[in-house]
Amino acid sequence: MRDKVRSMFYHAYDNYMAHAFPHDELKPLTNNFTDSLSELGNLNLQFLPQNYNGSALSLIESLSTLLVLGNFTEFEKGVMWLSENLTFDVDARVNLFECNIRVLGGLISAHILASENKSWFRNISYNDRLLHLARDLGQRFLPAFETPTGLPYAWINLKHGVMENETTETSTSGCGSLILEMGALSRLTSDSRFEGAALRALRKLWNMRSSLDLLGTTLNVLTGEWIEYSSGIGAGVDSFYEYLLKAYILFGSDEYWDMFHSAYLAVQKYFRHGPWYHEADMRSGKATYWQLTSLQAFWPGLQTLVGDVAAANLSHREFFYVWKKYGVLPERYLLEHATLHPTERYYPLRPELAESTYYLYQATKDPWYLEVGESIVASLNSHTKVDGGFASVRDVSTMQLEDHQHSFFLSETCKYLYLLYDDSFVAGRNFVFTTEGHPLPVRSLWHERLPEAYITSNRTSFKTSRMSPLSSQVCPEMIRGAKVESACHVPDLRVNHRCTSDAECGIDSTSCRKRTCSIAGYCGLWRFVH
Ligand code: DMJ
């Protein structure tokens, strides 16, 4: 499976490099390119300068995946090209959120990994090449935050700042998912302006919550008033929740935890219905739209990260059920009628289900998730692979394709699927993955609580105890080869946890609970899942 995923990545990456680079993204049906960084959201081609060669977006997005795959040569080539050719001094209007998670996040993550491993470089010396680019880009973001509220404009022109008559409408995720990248940039450059701007926006956003601790989906950056009061955990909001928890993990400040904790409880209280999540009005908590959206599939991954593994498992199964029903996950699915949305029937190679599958496998080591991954890989190869790369699905009911290979297929979809089958890149280390799948190491230097002695990059110090907080929540007899002492532990009959009846399942070593046999035929703590 690992090798299969590796070839998927290279099929996508090599085709991009051959037919689209240095433009942003590949059009795999026509061997063409699109400069999507400036086109993300509402296309604004009139702002694209003539001879604009793109920002090599898919290359930037691929850097950390190349490292996960151990391809240091291609990584070095990419770093060299970017440092010699990429410029942000272009008259292009870009979406701040997308540019932050894809470009700034891609550069910062690759920079940190490169600066910790200078021996990867054979032909050049590293010299903080990517950090110079990241700092330049971060500075170009700052004018977006110059609003009376501190909430940033959604769009910014990289050369000229905020355009005249720029839209004042933005989304919750657009204001609340900047802190990881901009916080890291401040820590790396000792320039507090980036983190300061992102934190001010996040605090303002949090202060706009209702008495139920709910937020809306869109708002006005000048007045700080909500435009769309209905929200859920999907489009326009998703990464806001994700960044509260991940900012806490990366920086250790209680402020992030307090916000996340209240927000998480409100989501579970007002949006959840069994394994599903609907939308609700932030003022009343009353349900508005009963729809499953493809973006929501990241939620079980986040729940796993916070330790709510049983709830994560439950929702993950439902997302996978819908995936199996159509072959891939439709963008929107009407829960009440169990049918497709009339217009949003596409699947643009999104990573969220693979991402949650990866987290759940890390937490449980339940081989069921490996089978889910196998099924995702099979669907991607049979429905979306074409000679020129991987194409998005325009309509999941016909499997008609669309000429677009989104950059997150390289940064996230392939990465999470690969890590599912080979996690040696993360083993013994603590990374936080940004919402675009770019790894940031948890460092004591940046963290309010970690002891100074904590060294994230010293792999040898983890040799004797390779248990992560995630893997210790469940109870395989062995965790990464190390025996776990437990007075109550009874191993499952078969080493691969396969079973035909409850009698073949043992006792969980951590909780001392009896494991039972799932419908799919695996031992687990299924009785406690519902
Ligand atoms: C990615 O760009 C990020 O994960 C973002 O937060 C929302 N989802 C897309 C991919 O689906």
Side-chain angles (χ1 to χ4, degrees), residues 384-451:
T384 70
K385 188 177 179 191
V386 292
D387 287 348
F390 283 85
S392 300
V393 176
R394 189 189 295 278
D395 184 335
V396 302
S397 65
T398 58
M399 286 296 170
Q400 187 200 352
L401 295 178
E402 192 177 332
D403 202 6
H404 199 162
Q405 179 184 285
H406 291 268
S407 63
F408 49 69
F409 183 71
L410 296 155
S411 69
E412 289 193 85
T413 315
C414 289
K415 185 184 280 130
Y416 287 122
L417 287 171
Y418 187 86
L419 287 171
L420 180 63
Y421 297 104
D422 180 351
D423 67 354
S424 43
F425 179 81
V426 294
R429 303 196 64 190
N430 280 323
F431 284 110
V432 162
F433 287 94
T434 69
T435 191
E436 194 69 3
H438 297 301
L440 299 174
V442 178
R443 300 173 143 179
S444 58
L445 202 64
W446 292 4
H447 199 279
E448 289 187 14
R449 290 153 182 279
L450 283 173

Side-chain angles (χ1 to χ4, degrees), residues 347-368:
Y347 169 68
L349 306 172
R350 289 199 190 282
E352 286 77 8
L353 185 65
E355 175 183 356
S356 284
T357 307
Y358 158 73
Y359 278 106
L360 273 158
Y361 181 65
Q362 282 284 314
T364 62
K365 293 289 179 270
D366 185 332
W368 154 253

Side-chain angles (χ1 to χ4, degrees), residues 24 38 63 79 102 115 126 132 139 213 231 277 368 388 459:
D24 286 343
S38 295
L63 290 176
V79 171
R102 300 188 196 214
S115 55
Y126 177 58
H132 298 313
Q139 278 166 350
D213 284 337
S231 80
Y277 289 83
W368 154 253
R459 289 168 188 245

Side-chain angles (χ1 to χ4, degrees), residues 253-272:
S253 154
D254 279 341
E255 183 180 4
Y256 296 124
W257 173 257
D258 292 342
M259 288 192 260
F260 174 76
H261 190 231
S262 308
Y264 183 74
L265 292 181
V267 166
Q268 296 302 93
K269 183 167 175 188
Y270 296 106
F271 299 159
R272 194 180 69 87

